[in-house]
Amino acid sequence: MNTVTQESTRQWQAADAQHFLHPFTDHAGLARKGARIITRADNIYLWDSEGNKILDAMSGLWCVNVGYGQQPLIDAATRQMKELPFYNTFFQTSHPPAIELAELLAQVTPPQFQHVFFTGSGSEGNDTIVRMVRRYWDIKGEPARKVIISRFNGYHGSTMAGSSLSGMKGMHDQGGVIPDITHIEQPHWFEHGRPQNLSREDFGLIAAGWLETKILEVGPERVAAFIGEPVQGAGGVMVPPSTYWPEIQRICDKYGILLVSDEVICGFGRTGHWFGCETMDVKPDLMTIAKGITSGYVPLGGVMVGERVARALIDEGGEFNHGFTYSGHPVACAVALANIRLIQQLDLVRHVREDIGPYLAQRFAELADHPLVGEVQSCGMMGAVQLVKDKAASTLFEPDLEVGMLCRAHCFGNGLIMRAVGDRMIVAPPLVMTRAQVDEMMALIRRCLDLTLAELHQRSWL
Ligand SMILES: *Cc1c(COP(=O)(O)O)cnc(C)c1O
């Protein structure tokens, strides 16, 4: 660390605090501390402006599936910028990268998906879904079907429709929600099933049954769709019981309701299949895609439209009055093409399913012996550790203590990016990880758990 770097770090922090409003950030708090300035990245590592090397166990923000510094993506962007940096796809025009990507997406997604609608982000994808499912039911002569059922603690983005679909009170309290969106409880076995001595499988059926209760409460003739993440990401890597999703599918089918899988995190290999719905063994009508589609190198999102909805839109719907300037942005599409081809070339989906995912699961399971750990879950390259106050009784810490944040601070201090959702510590590392890198990550996680435990004793919170 030299003085020049120190100086520029302070300058950046000052300018950042003065001019930059960050997403999901308490600015007064950030200004006091100063932002951490990330300057460079390679493979699964980041470097900050002080030269510290950090293992990025969150893949940026759940998106850098192929890791940083992948030359094919860089080359694809450069080539496309020279060739055609922008053109729209509105007025009966198209361009090769968007066409080729649409074709490739039809190949890698489940067979019911032959069409894609491009957006700039996952939030825009979910906004598109709200408009599209309501349009679908209008076309089908059932305009009363407007209500979309979602789940508490689900995350579907931060635009008006995205935040309304999301089940997060802190978001709803700021700016309100759009009408005709309602929520059911998440399938959180540790919170709801375990205290009642239910097996995970039995609890999964009960939790899915909450959807049917809600449908009957709203009136089946008013329900348009159900949306959920196969594995809830931002909510804390909540892996549902194996019985949950098939039962959700059965209930949607029973009432003719559209099933939407938000694949923004689970898509593009993260769960060990191309899409999370394949891991959960369900057949959605629509899928939201973003994040891993470009490994985050440039922004891109979209909606995969299943034949049921696509046929209505195309054959009966006329014009769908919806779209974004950057729908099918050529540079984003070129990068997505290179990214998906790289996933195929490196056989990353199988790597996650058969090698590195099971290895992560095995190493995560070993954390269960730690005195602070009440529950461990993983699915592909996502993992969660529930911190508890009393392991034997599975009692949780008082939320005000913010034990998760305390643990996260130790992670940051020790060269590891791990996220805290309440007292659940979560990871979603790049899919390209090797076993040695998983070992390196696990050693850091264990050290941070030990440091957290020591601090809790020191504060007499244990
Ligand atoms: C991140 C995320 C979104 C929102 O995507 P943005 O690109 O941030 O708008 C939607 N759904 C899920 C499941 C996400 O994780």
Side-chain angles (χ1 to χ4, degrees):
M1 176 186 343
N2 60 41
T3 42
V4 176
T5 318
Q6 274 185 333
E7 187 53 39
S8 57
T9 297
R10 274 201 297 278
Q11 283 167 353
W12 274 323
Q13 286 173 332
D16 182 85
Q18 215 155 14
H19 302 294
F20 185 2
L21 289 175
H22 292 249
F24 288 98
T25 296
D26 167 2
H27 286 90
L30 180 66
R32 277 194 298 276
K33 245 175 59 192
R36 183 171 210 176
I37 317 288
I38 304 297
T39 50
R40 156 173 104 73
D42 188 44
N43 187 232
I44 66 163
Y45 303 100
L46 306 164
W47 282 265
D48 68 15
S49 55
E50 321 241 275
N52 297 305
K53 183 180 176 187
I54 307 153
L55 192 157
D56 182 10
M58 283 308 298
S59 303
L61 208 49
W62 316 88
C63 50
V64 188
N65 289 13
V66 298
Y68 300 95
Q70 291 283 9
Q71 200 60 41
L73 279 65
I74 300 164
D75 292 343
T78 312
R79 237 182 291 118
Q80 190 57 46
M81 287 228 184
K82 288 183 183 161
E83 188 84 16
L84 178 73
F86 178 74
Y87 197 70
N88 74 72
T89 55
F90 278 42
F91 310 111
Q92 312 204 340
T93 55
S94 201
H95 47 64
I99 299 166
E100 281 175 44
L101 178 59
E103 197 175 24
L104 184 56
L105 285 169
Q107 282 167 24
V108 300
T109 54
Q112 70 270 31
F113 295 111
Q114 292 301 313
H115 292 87
V116 62
F117 191 102
F118 288 118
T119 69
S121 68
S123 300
E124 287 177 4
N126 283 324
D127 274 55
T128 299
I129 280 179
V130 170
R131 299 200 60 203
M132 198 180 271
V133 302
R134 289 178 179 170
R135 175 76 190 130
Y136 169 81
W137 287 114
D138 282 348
I139 294 169
K140 286 289 160 195
E142 296 193 57
R145 291 213 195 229
K146 293 269 186 303
V147 176
I148 300 169
I149 301 174
S150 178
R151 299 179 300 180
F152 290 117
N153 203 37
Y155 185 75
H156 299 292
S158 197
T159 50
M160 237 9 261
S163 62
S164 301
L165 291 170
S166 297
M168 299 184 165
K169 187 173 180 304
M171 296 180 78
H172 295 171
D173 285 349
Q174 299 178 355
V177 293
I178 64 172
D180 289 331
I181 289 175
T182 184
H183 299 81
I184 60 173
E185 274 300 333
Q186 59 183 341
H188 191 350
W189 175 80
F190 195 78
E191 191 179 316
H192 300 293
R194 182 188 48 92
Q196 299 185 48
N197 292 317
L198 288 168
S199 72
R200 283 180 198 268
E201 289 69 27
D202 289 347
F203 171 69
L205 295 175
I206 290 170
W210 297 334
L211 173 59
E212 187 158 26
T213 308
K214 181 60 90 176
I215 291 170
L216 295 173
E217 182 191 312
V218 172
E221 71 291 347
R222 292 188 56 230
V223 181
F226 172 77
I227 184 169
E229 304 152 80
V231 175
Q232 285 159 264
V237 181
M238 303 289 186
V239 185
S242 60
T243 48
Y244 179 76
W245 272 105
E247 180 67 2
I248 289 281
Q249 168 101 65
R250 191 189 67 76
I251 293 165
C252 286
D253 289 349
K254 179 174 170 189
Y255 296 97
I257 291 161
L258 293 168
L259 178 57
V260 184
S261 186
D262 184 336
E263 299 274 353
V264 172
I265 285 176
C266 293
F268 302 96
R270 179 150 303 277
T271 68
H273 288 87
W274 273 95
F275 293 90
C277 59
E278 297 167 296
T279 302
M280 298 301 156
D281 204 16
V282 290
K283 198 166 166 276
D285 297 294
L286 297 146
M287 297 199 301
T288 327
I289 51 176
K291 293 189 172 125
I293 189 173
T294 57
S295 284
Y297 281 44
V298 287
L300 180 68
V303 175
M304 292 306 303
V305 185
E307 281 305 275
R308 177 178 170 194
V309 174
R311 291 275 57 95
L313 285 175
I314 296 165
D315 299 339
E316 310 166 49
E319 183 169 336
F320 180 37
N321 300 315
H322 178 75
F324 304 100
T325 301
Y326 300 136
S327 287
H329 191 287
V331 177
C333 290
V335 172
L337 275 168
N339 176 61
I340 295 170
R341 286 175 184 147
L342 185 63
I343 292 174
Q344 291 176 320
Q345 236 169 47
L346 300 176
D347 208 4
L348 276 185
V349 181
R350 199 169 59 93
H351 174 63
V352 172
R353 184 171 62 248
E354 292 174 10
D355 182 33
I356 203 70
Y359 187 63
L360 182 89
Q362 178 199 324
R363 296 296 326 265
F364 249 71
E366 291 166 22
L367 288 176
D369 67 9
H370 195 277
L372 268 183
V373 174
E375 187 198 28
V376 179
Q377 281 199 309
S378 79
C379 176
M381 288 305 268
M382 306 168 92
V385 175
Q386 178 71 51
L387 305 182
V388 289
K389 183 172 181 179
D390 181 338
K391 199 178 171 77
S394 290
T395 39
L396 303 172
F397 288 101
E398 296 297 307
D400 301 351
L401 296 181
E402 298 199 332
V403 172
M405 293 308 271
L406 212 128
C407 182
R408 194 186 70 164
H410 285 296
C411 296
F412 278 12
N414 285 274
L416 172 68
I417 300 243
M418 194 177 186
R419 189 155 148 184
V421 177
D423 292 343
R424 245 174 125 78
M425 303 306 297
I426 59 178
V427 297
L431 314 187
V432 291
M433 256 196 172
T434 62
R435 286 181 175 228
Q437 287 174 329
V438 169
D439 291 341
E440 185 188 340
M441 177 177 77
M442 296 315 296
L444 286 170
I445 292 175
R446 196 170 271 279
R447 183 193 311 161
C448 296
L449 289 173
D450 289 343
L451 289 169
T452 306
L453 183 65
E455 185 173 352
L456 290 172
H457 280 308
Q458 192 196 338
R459 293 183 180 215
S460 306
W461 288 359
L462 266 182

